[in-house]
Amino acid sequence: MPPIRLSLAWLLALCGTDAYAREYAYSDAHLHYVDFFQETAGMSKLLTAMDDNAIDHVMISGIPVAKKWHEDEPKRPRYYAGDDADAYWYSATDVIVAAAVNKLTTEQRQRFHPFLSGFNPNDKNSAAHIQRMLDLYPGLWQGIGEVFTRHDDLTALTSGDTPRANNEAMTRIYHLAAENDLPVMLHSNITSKREKNPLYLAEIEEPLRNHPHTRFIWAHAGSSAETHRHQTQLDFLLPTLSRMLEAYPNLFVDLSWSMLTPYLLDEQGTPRDEWVRLVERFPERFMLGSDVVGRFNKLGQEMHSFDPFLDALPEDVARRVARDNFLAILPRAVVK
């Protein structure tokens, strides 16, 4: 082998696969600007975290409930599960988001995609409230959610009836979403902490079937960290999700953090072949989310934690999942 060619071969061998390491740009399809006390680190820190981590776009929403600091609790809780006090529906969360986004420059605003979440999903008046918010902030809202229906212990802690994704109040909202070309992000657990079967599957599947013109983003594909603490992983999740993606072209999946392990990656951090194949089968139906709540110091870490899984996908599919699929689900009127 000529010396020049030999040197080139040696250099490539030395560099190994690092010479071809992929770098991704991201869309964060699931970000909460505030926490459960409606507090935030602020837009400046969010923008810095985005710029430092190649996050081009974010879905930005509030938190639809506020945690009460109860009179009988001597210490202010740090999370909704910090004590037994209620959480209550909090509509002003959307005003906080709108104010933050409207203070941005025109160029900055193009990176933010506000979703409206401050309503009670049990209240049949909520569709009228959403319409008022659409009228109050014309052109601002690009989706609805994250809607909290079945949501681990938060469901029991929230004042009022248990919200379901297939109740009449939400049915009115799905019609409104379709009329306004708005996707809907739903948190609807597929089961409880102890039932090893898809106990609540009908609550998400019924709207998918009955509202084919509404685009649904299923947060965490119905999984949660709380169910994992009790059940490690849900063996029925993969075949159920595969069937649903086949049956419902209006279903999209948010692969935020509770999906990373134990589903996308195994205990050694290696991508699971069966999940890689599922995403390859439906390359336009999955998106990434950080699910951070009001603090943005770990935003980059959350998004980059998906890189091993993305690297296992064909490069064009990986780039869709990392960035483009979220943008494609937004209203057609949105300039991307």
Side-chain angles (χ1 to χ4, degrees):
M1 183 180 292
I4 294 177
R5 189 175 299 173
L6 184 63
S7 298
L8 181 59
W10 177 83
L11 183 61
L12 289 173
L14 183 67
C15 294
T17 57
D18 289 343
Y20 301 99
R22 297 179 189 170
E23 293 185 358
Y24 300 103
Y26 305 89
S27 291
D28 185 346
H30 188 163
L31 179 141
H32 299 281
Y33 183 63
V34 298
D35 62 17
F36 285 88
F37 301 90
Q38 305 300 320
E39 296 171 350
T40 178
M43 187 60 77
S44 177
K45 289 188 177 179
L46 175 53
L47 280 164
T48 297
M50 292 170 63
D51 291 340
D52 289 347
N53 293 284
I55 301 169
D56 292 346
H57 296 266
V58 299
M59 171 271 206
I60 184 170
S61 71
I63 291 277
V65 298
K67 171 72 173 181
K68 181 193 295 183
W69 184 5
H70 195 277
E71 175 68 22
D72 295 336
E73 295 293 340
K75 182 180 178 183
R76 189 181 195 236
R78 291 177 295 170
Y79 192 55
Y80 75 75
D83 58 33
D84 294 332
D86 289 355
Y88 53 93
W89 302 106
Y90 191 83
S91 292
T93 197
D94 293 323
V95 178
I96 297 170
V97 171
V101 172
N102 283 334
K103 288 178 183 175
L104 298 172
T105 67
T106 301
E107 184 179 359
Q108 290 171 332
R109 203 175 301 151
Q110 292 172 357
R111 303 174 66 185
F112 290 87
H113 307 280
F115 277 40
L116 197 157
S117 66
F119 56 88
N120 182 343
N122 282 320
D123 185 354
K124 290 191 284 188
N125 289 311
S126 287
H129 166 75
I130 291 171
Q131 185 61 61
R132 281 194 295 271
M133 293 298 288
L134 293 173
D135 295 339
L136 187 61
Y137 299 97
L140 178 68
W141 306 109
Q142 298 176 27
I144 296 172
E146 180 187 9
V147 183
F148 287 174
T149 58
R150 298 281 182 181
H151 194 299
D152 305 323
D153 295 334
L154 182 61
T155 301
L157 287 172
T158 302
S159 301
D161 300 329
T162 298
R164 292 182 289 106
N166 61 338
N167 66 16
E168 187 177 342
M170 288 303 302
T171 295
R172 293 166 181 251
I173 291 169
Y174 303 142
H175 284 301
L176 181 66
E179 289 168 7
N180 289 275
D181 194 28
L182 300 173
V184 179
M185 174 178 277
L186 284 173
H187 187 125
S188 182
N189 285 6
I190 196 170
T191 192
S192 67
K193 291 188 287 188
R194 299 194 181 277
E195 289 294 326
K196 298 183 182 296
N197 59 79
L199 180 66
Y200 301 131
L201 179 60
E203 293 181 9
I204 181 73
E205 190 160 12
E206 186 179 316
L208 286 165
R209 181 174 59 250
N210 292 345
H211 301 275
H213 300 299
T214 303
R215 301 186 298 284
F216 291 88
I217 307 170
W218 197 8
H220 327 283
S223 73
S224 73
E226 192 62 28
T227 56
H228 300 159
R229 288 190 186 99
H230 292 264
Q231 302 200 44
T232 308
Q233 63 175 298
L234 306 172
D235 294 336
F236 55 81
L237 185 61
L238 180 68
T240 300
L241 191 57
S242 178
R243 176 188 64 79
M244 292 174 70
L245 286 165
E246 222 168 77
Y248 306 110
N250 56 333
L251 172 62
F252 299 81
V253 179
D254 156 41
L255 293 173
S256 46
W257 63 281
S258 66
M259 288 298 296
L260 192 62
T261 53
Y263 300 107
L264 305 184
L265 305 178
D266 64 18
E267 295 78 5
Q268 288 73 46
T270 302
R272 295 185 186 272
D273 289 341
E274 60 271 28
W275 283 91
V276 171
R277 290 195 296 271
L278 180 67
V279 175
E280 286 178 340
R281 277 182 62 203
F282 302 97
E284 298 176 351
R285 312 279 285 282
F286 293 89
M287 55 197 71
L288 304 183
S290 67
D291 199 15
V292 297
V293 288
R295 304 293 180 270
F296 313 115
N297 53 310
K298 293 185 178 179
L299 179 59
Q301 176 184 324
E302 294 291 345
M303 297 303 290
H304 287 287
S305 66
F306 291 95
D307 286 359
F309 185 78
L310 293 174
D311 288 344
L313 296 168
E315 187 166 356
D316 63 327
V317 175
R319 297 197 184 283
R320 287 186 199 175
V321 173
R323 181 183 184 276
D324 298 338
N325 285 347
F326 169 67
L327 298 178
I329 202 175
L330 296 174
R332 288 180 290 274
V334 174
V335 178
K336 304 176 180 64

